[in-house]
Amino acid sequence: DLSDVLVDWAETTAEADRSHVLAAVVQRTSVAHQLEALRDAGIEPRVLEAEGLVLSNLSPIFPLGQRRLLVDLGHRKTTLTLLLAGRPILTRTIPLAGQALDEAIATDRGCSAEDAERLRQEEGIFSSGSETTSPGALEILDRLAREIVRTLEAPEAGAHGAEGNPETTLTL
């Protein structure tokens, strides 16, 4: 129901006869929980932004080129933001990230998730020497790669005049 959600939007491009907008929709209860958690931590927020759009705030700071996919690989989720000329045109959140990698490594190596996280941080995903690369971690990375490709192949990703220049730089 529309009364259960908040909707915000930003114009990404404007032409004489049409405009493209990026819209964000979130459940009001999710926003209320986030605000409550911040207040419980002693923080009174002035602005609450959609996580994918926050990544686009990097574009004025760094030269991000014509078409760039920003990838924020977090603990529980991965956020993707596609920029065209520094402006966000598409954002997605995928519930797959570092924690899934740690769990896969823990399963493959027979260790705790904490030890697996330490191994991932110290040795990386692609081990050398006597230890073999974790097949489970490779499966997680494969799933993430497929989601990145799906994002770049989405109809929205080809909009805004990007059809003639499909080359995309990926920034992790």
Side-chain angles (χ1 to χ4, degrees):
D1 189 272
L2 283 177
S3 64
D4 295 335
V5 297
L6 296 169
V7 179
D8 197 9
W9 60 275
E11 186 178 79
T12 58
T13 60
E15 299 171 21
D17 60 342
R18 65 182 174 173
S19 293
H20 291 273
V21 297
L22 181 63
V25 180
V26 64
Q27 291 183 329
R28 288 178 185 270
T29 55
S30 295
V31 173
H33 290 303
Q34 183 67 37
L35 290 172
E36 182 180 344
L38 290 169
R39 289 187 183 119
D40 288 349
I43 300 168
E44 188 59 42
R46 291 181 291 163
V47 176
L48 189 63
E49 291 188 84
E51 60 191 15
L53 298 179
V54 169
L55 289 176
S56 70
N57 292 339
L58 295 171
S59 64
I61 300 168
F62 301 104
L64 296 178
Q66 182 61 22
R67 185 172 152 99
R68 182 168 299 250
L69 182 66
L70 302 177
V71 180
D72 179 8
L73 181 66
H75 182 63
R76 292 190 177 119
K77 62 188 173 199
T78 299
T79 303
L80 308 174
T81 301
L82 182 61
L83 302 175
L84 184 61
R87 298 188 62 126
I89 60 171
L90 175 66
T91 184
R92 296 182 61 205
T93 299
I94 302 162
L96 189 64
Q99 183 178 21
L101 289 168
D102 295 341
E103 290 168 357
I105 293 168
T107 299
D108 290 342
R109 292 218 183 160
C111 62
S112 70
E114 293 79 18
D115 287 340
E117 180 180 21
R118 182 185 50 74
L119 287 169
R120 177 176 53 85
Q121 291 172 352
E122 291 175 0
E123 298 177 11
I125 301 282
F126 305 104
S127 299
S128 60
S130 62
E131 295 293 333
T132 60
T133 301
S134 163
L138 290 178
E139 173 60 29
I140 300 298
L141 291 175
D142 182 63
R143 288 172 52 197
L144 281 171
R146 283 186 271 129
E147 290 298 331
I148 288 170
V149 170
R150 284 184 58 211
T151 301
L152 294 173
E153 291 176 345
E156 299 85 358
H160 312 282
E163 299 89 351
N165 184 14
E167 185 176 312
T168 303
T169 301
L170 187 134
T171 300
L172 181 63

